[in-house]
Amino acid sequence: MSRPLEAVIRLDNLRHNYHVGRALAGGRALAVVKANAYGHGAVQCAKALPDADGFAVACIEEALQLREAGIAQPILLLEGVFEASELELVERHGLWLVVHHEGQLAMIEAAKPQTPYTVWLKMDSGMHRVGFAPADYAAAHARLCASGKVASITMMTHFARADEPGAQATADQIATFQAATEGLAGDISLANSAGLIGWPAARVGWGRPGILLYGASPMPVDGPAVELKPVMQLKSKVFAVRELATGEPIGYGASFHTSRATRVGVVACGYADGYPRLASTGSPVAIDGVRTRIIGRVSMDMLTIDLTDLPDAGVGSEVELWGDTVSVNEVAAHAGTIAYELLCNVKRAAFRYR
Ligand SMILES: *Cc1c(COP(=O)(O)O)cnc(C)c1O
């Protein structure tokens, strides 16, 4: 028997979630498949979305991977190009590109494309990471128009706090964007997943859903919800069982001691697979839809779970680390992080596509 850790990727759930995101956006959405589709496999996910309006990736390497796999829809480079030499590939592969700073604007002006570029011009409406300042935005827009190198401009911005329902910062970002784009020609794009789920005012133009495609909501558990289906089920098996008396330690550092006679299941999954080490004792797992918990520290290749109340479980039992019974958001909360990071980090598992 080979090591039983599997990431099962349910592509029908991905399609469902994309359609939810696109409907929220009001009709058009780029599926964000950067970082290998948040760890799910960019090529497989893109191929599973033949009706997607387009895709968004972080960089040209990710875009070329999709083109080489035969993906023909538009692909947007969310960070644009890092150097002018990429522009030739942008043109050859018909990629769309974000322009977010003066250097990129100058590269476009200096380029000699045969076919003009499709540009998404980014505004820093308050996140203060990348983008043109609102006061400089109209001038950047005018330079692109005047360059003769650009076929169309989509005006975009990105939210810093859209996952906080009611946060004034997001309302301010929307207002700033609206004021600074007043009278400028072009499509617009505001919303990531949290913007789509939580901010009706951001549901305009192109949506840019990422995390919601994979079935994890970025909103707090008591926040606004939409009907998403988890795409990844990370599962493994119990491969050894221990019976411990009360008061016995388990695992590295003896961070956990049994408080009753305890049946311990050892599961083939550890932090080298991307399971977060910080989600040790107390983190939920499920066997046949019944939840139990990790006890002791997660180690590199194994973790230990409490089987005391699951008498039918034993060697060979299938354990869901996250997926349908245990959400990746819950595990992330136990690890003090977000679902995005856990999903991106899965490795060494056998990926199976359904
Ligand atoms: C990653 C990214 C998104 C998607 O964000 P989610 O929170 O995963 O929906 C949208 N827009 C930009 C510019 C991004 O970088």
Side-chain angles (χ1 to χ4, degrees):
M1 178 181 122
S2 58
R3 193 161 180 268
L5 182 68
E6 288 186 2
V8 182
I9 308 296
R10 284 82 56 97
L11 296 170
D12 47 347
N13 289 358
L14 176 76
R15 279 187 284 274
H16 166 88
N17 298 333
Y18 174 73
H19 292 127
V20 168
R22 182 163 65 184
L24 281 173
R28 275 181 304 169
L30 295 184
V32 181
V33 295
K34 64 193 180 191
N36 198 28
Y38 294 41
H40 292 66
V43 167
Q44 290 88 344
C45 289
K47 281 190 169 167
L49 295 172
D51 71 337
D53 303 313
F55 299 101
V57 297
C59 59
I60 200 153
E61 289 78 6
E62 294 180 344
L64 295 182
Q65 188 195 16
L66 295 181
R67 283 285 183 260
E68 274 155 26
I71 302 299
Q73 289 120 299
I75 302 175
L76 174 68
L77 305 179
L78 286 168
E79 289 164 31
V81 294
F82 291 82
E83 45 187 76
S85 62
E86 293 169 52
L87 286 173
E88 193 251 323
L89 287 168
V90 164
E91 189 184 352
R92 189 181 333 152
H93 293 280
L95 306 176
W96 296 359
L97 73 167
V98 166
V99 169
H100 62 79
H101 65 75
E102 168 61 33
Q104 290 176 330
L105 191 50
M107 287 179 210
I108 299 264
E109 288 176 321
K112 297 192 168 47
Q114 315 236 288
T115 315
Y117 304 112
T118 296
V119 169
W120 286 43
L121 182 62
K122 190 162 184 174
M123 184 191 302
D124 173 10
S125 59
M127 187 169 186
H128 297 340
R129 196 177 55 174
V130 292
F132 288 88
D136 301 333
Y137 194 78
H141 190 278
R143 276 173 61 186
L144 284 176
C145 291
S147 73
K149 315 283 168 72
V150 173
S152 71
I153 302 174
T154 297
M155 298 177 279
M156 73 177 290
T157 195
H158 191 54
F159 297 132
R161 298 176 63 182
D163 55 343
E164 299 171 44
Q168 184 59 33
T170 302
D172 290 347
Q173 283 197 263
I174 295 170
T176 298
F177 180 83
Q178 281 169 345
T181 54
E182 182 90 57
L184 299 181
D187 277 345
I188 59 177
S189 176
L190 295 173
N192 55 0
S193 299
L196 290 172
I197 296 170
W199 296 87
R203 294 173 188 156
V204 286
W206 288 89
R208 303 189 310 271
I211 193 73
L212 78 70
L213 299 176
Y214 309 102
S217 174
M219 306 311 278
V221 278
D222 57 352
V226 285
E227 189 58 36
L228 301 174
K229 298 182 179 177
V231 174
M232 183 190 293
Q233 187 190 35
L234 185 66
K235 61 183 192 177
S236 190
K237 285 184 177 167
V238 174
F239 68 93
V241 172
R242 282 278 166 292
E243 308 269 356
L244 297 179
T246 304
E248 294 293 329
I250 300 175
Y252 286 117
S255 67
F256 179 88
H257 287 76
T258 55
S259 58
R260 59 175 178 170
T262 298
R263 250 178 106 232
V264 182
V266 188
V267 180
C269 180
Y271 61 77
D273 304 299
Y275 194 92
R277 181 175 172 280
L278 288 173
S280 288
T281 298
S283 211
V285 300
I287 294 184
D288 290 331
V290 180
R291 295 160 68 100
T292 180
R293 60 177 187 143
I294 292 179
I295 46 179
R297 268 188 206 157
V298 172
S299 49
M300 186 182 288
D301 312 312
M302 303 176 221
L303 51 80
T304 39
I305 63 174
D306 191 348
L307 295 182
T308 316
D309 298 328
L310 295 171
D312 296 336
V315 170
S317 291
E318 197 169 275
V319 179
E320 180 185 274
L321 286 320
W322 60 67
D324 298 335
T325 306
V326 171
S327 79
V328 64
N329 277 328
E330 283 179 84
V331 180
H334 277 270
T337 185
I338 53 175
Y340 299 70
E341 187 180 17
L342 300 196
L343 294 171
C344 288
N345 276 347
V346 174
K347 47 195 173 290
R348 208 170 59 167
F351 276 71
R352 309 225 186 280
Y353 291 88
R354 300 224 169 113

